[in-house]
Amino acid sequence: MDFYFDNAATTKLSERAAKTYIKTSQDFPGNPSSIHREGLKAKEELERRREECATILGVKPECLVFTSGATESIGQFFSSLLWQEPGEMLISRIEHEAVSSWMPILTQYGWKITKLKAKKGFVTVDEVKEKLSADTKVVAIMSVNNALGTIQNIREHAKAIREFESERRRKILFFSDSVQALGKTDLDLTGWDVDGASFSSHKINGPRGIGLLYLKNPASFRSIAPAGGQERGKRGGTENLPSIAAFTEALKEWYEEKDEKEPKISKYNTLIRSELEAMDMKILTPEENVSPYILTIATKLPSEVFTRMLMDKGICVSSGSACSNNAKGKTESILEAMGIKHDDSTKAIRISLTKDTKEEEVNELIKAFKEILHG
Ligand code: PLP
């Protein structure tokens, strides 16, 4: 049996979510856009699920748009900018490719892209204040970085942006990719005062292929793909009701268990950190303001080599940040953007936990490291 420590990439579908998926598929055969009885029933269930998600996230239901995952949520948000007159966008150097891959497209459409430094994995408020300019129209800073687990001070960034906005009397959109924050750090969309945020179901034991886009002012958002007008014209295409219901149950389950389980996860993270440090591994994730679910280290061997050695012992980790190893080299450059030396970035290994990670699994992970290093 393998011991799974790549939960920042994806997690196992919970039983409750799986059962909900099947039940919803069977109980709601209609298309929410149809006006017959089955269609109306499906529509009602869709809105009920949206309300449940909204309650957990502390926002109005109409501010939530179901998508096929965070990559699409991000795509919806950034592609909608193509309707606007271009301006300047400030973007952190440590965004996931789902965000950063939009930059060449926006550049082609006349947008000026300005990168925000993120030394040690943190964008400072001073950096944001320094870079805000008369041309700034959009700022994008993720909530929790997927490569190191560093938590960004979104509340303070938003404050700086809003102050600048009121001085200049001009709207600035603030987007925060919050995939690794959902359920795992304090999330406060309303208090943070962001204009948009992205979420993914499969990072919290929900199904893959479903996610959320949060829009503070949905009325001012114009999708480039409204198609049949579903999701109030913010995202066309037949709604994936079984996945939406299963995602909602996974979210509820996560929040019901969070207070009980999170202290254990923090304890395991601290234990892994100290044990690996004692084995002379370099700990790359800072000690403070980080997600308890992510710990990134540098070993003394190339990432892929050490990942395979761990795999031979039944341990699954990520070599680098990746939700995919397709984007080879990108993790390294994100780590290097944080000030991590190239040599360390090529030896980085990300260990990521979930709320259900067990002590026995953590012990197996530590044992595997010991065996590899000391024979
Ligand atoms: N943003 C971050 C920070 C991520 O970690 C991921 C993970 O893959 C994504 C975006 C993309 O999410 P999804 O797989 O739902 O498209």
Side-chain angles (χ1 to χ4, degrees):
M1 191 189 79
D2 280 342
F3 298 97
Y4 188 74
F5 287 92
D6 197 12
N7 293 284
T10 198
T11 56
K12 188 168 130 187
L13 186 66
S14 82
E15 246 182 79
R16 180 165 152 187
K19 281 188 185 146
T20 304
Y21 184 93
I22 295 170
K23 190 159 168 34
T24 308
S25 310
Q26 293 168 338
D27 290 356
F28 297 92
N31 184 321
S33 297
S34 300
I35 56 166
H36 49 62
R37 201 180 345 267
E38 286 303 339
L40 296 176
K41 253 179 68 188
K43 175 83 180 154
E44 202 178 301
E45 178 64 0
L46 172 66
E47 295 314 321
R48 188 176 77 82
R49 292 305 190 175
R50 195 189 313 279
E51 274 171 32
E52 287 184 326
C53 289
T55 303
I56 291 175
L57 296 176
V59 297
K60 292 191 200 124
E62 58 270 28
C63 295
L64 294 180
V65 179
F66 287 108
T67 64
S68 66
T71 300
E72 190 203 323
S73 303
I74 293 162
Q76 289 283 353
F77 188 88
F78 286 95
S79 60
S80 79
L81 300 173
L82 301 178
W83 289 116
Q84 289 192 21
E85 274 299 303
E88 181 189 39
M89 181 184 302
L90 308 187
I91 168 182
S92 89
R93 283 187 182 276
I94 57 170
E95 296 298 306
H96 189 273
E97 305 88 76
V99 171
S100 58
S101 64
W102 277 94
M103 299 311 121
I105 302 163
L106 290 165
T107 305
Q108 186 156 342
Y109 281 84
W111 284 77
K112 179 184 169 205
I113 308 297
T114 300
K115 299 274 177 80
L116 297 168
K117 281 186 263 167
K119 264 196 112 195
K120 296 192 174 147
F122 299 101
V123 178
T124 65
V125 178
D126 285 346
E127 171 74 357
V128 173
K129 284 185 179 163
E130 192 193 309
K131 297 275 165 66
L132 282 166
S133 81
D135 299 326
T136 311
K137 281 190 156 185
V138 181
V139 180
I141 304 173
M142 69 199 322
S143 309
V144 174
N145 175 261
N146 50 299
L148 276 199
T150 46
I151 302 172
Q152 308 303 317
N153 197 341
I154 300 298
R155 194 184 302 275
E156 290 304 312
H157 291 315
K159 231 161 100 187
I161 294 164
R162 300 305 172 219
E163 272 168 28
F164 189 83
E165 228 179 16
S166 59
E167 274 165 30
R168 305 282 168 134
R169 302 216 184 120
R170 203 169 42 74
K171 177 71 194 155
I172 296 174
L173 293 172
F174 182 23
F175 183 85
S176 188
D177 175 17
S178 299
V179 166
Q180 301 292 348
L182 184 61
K184 300 178 182 175
T185 56
D186 293 330
L187 189 73
D188 180 12
L189 291 173
T190 310
W192 286 353
D193 198 10
V194 291
D195 296 289
S198 44
F199 301 99
S200 182
S201 148
H202 69 100
K203 312 287 183 181
I204 56 152
N205 304 110
R208 289 148 211 207
I210 192 80
L212 271 172
L213 168 64
Y214 163 73
L215 295 169
K216 183 179 157 199
N217 292 310
S220 62
F221 176 85
R222 189 172 170 202
S223 169
I224 66 152
Q230 291 90 345
E231 296 294 278
R232 297 178 178 84
K234 308 302 171 205
R235 192 265 181 177
T238 302
E239 300 87 342
N240 183 349
L241 188 56
S243 292
I244 289 169
F247 174 22
T248 309
E249 282 306 314
L251 188 62
K252 283 160 60 183
E253 189 177 12
W254 191 287
Y255 274 86
E256 280 160 20
E257 296 178 2
K258 190 174 186 290
D259 288 350
E260 180 211 326
K261 295 194 169 166
E262 204 164 276
K264 277 191 237 164
I265 299 308
S266 298
K267 200 180 89 185
Y268 298 155
N269 188 314
T270 308
L271 176 70
I272 300 169
R273 178 184 275 270
S274 64
E275 289 283 342
L276 298 193
E277 213 167 12
M279 287 179 229
D280 219 13
M281 298 287 101
K282 194 179 251 179
I283 309 293
L284 301 180
T285 298
E287 272 187 65
E288 285 179 11
N289 299 322
V290 289
S291 162
Y293 293 87
I294 295 177
L295 182 72
T296 299
I297 62 158
T299 71
K300 295 196 166 53
L301 292 170
S303 303
E304 288 78 5
V305 174
F306 208 92
T307 302
R308 289 220 170 89
M309 291 167 104
L310 282 169
M311 201 173 71
D312 288 344
K313 304 223 166 266
I315 306 286
C316 300
V317 297
S318 170
S319 49
S321 83
C323 311
S324 77
N325 284 318
N326 307 333
K328 220 180 142 357
K330 293 215 173 130
T331 310
E332 287 148 39
S333 69
I334 284 178
L335 292 177
E336 284 165 40
M338 297 171 175
I340 289 168
K341 286 193 215 119
H342 176 73
D343 191 45
D344 286 336
S345 79
T346 59
K347 293 172 179 157
I349 281 191
R350 182 185 67 186
I351 297 159
S352 54
L353 315 179
T354 184
K355 70 173 169 50
D356 299 314
T357 300
K358 305 260 175 313
E359 192 168 358
E360 308 84 83
E361 295 173 302
V362 170
N363 291 338
E364 288 296 329
L365 172 84
I366 295 167
K367 195 171 115 204
F369 267 89
K370 281 188 181 150
E371 285 173 5
I372 291 171
L373 296 169
H374 307 301

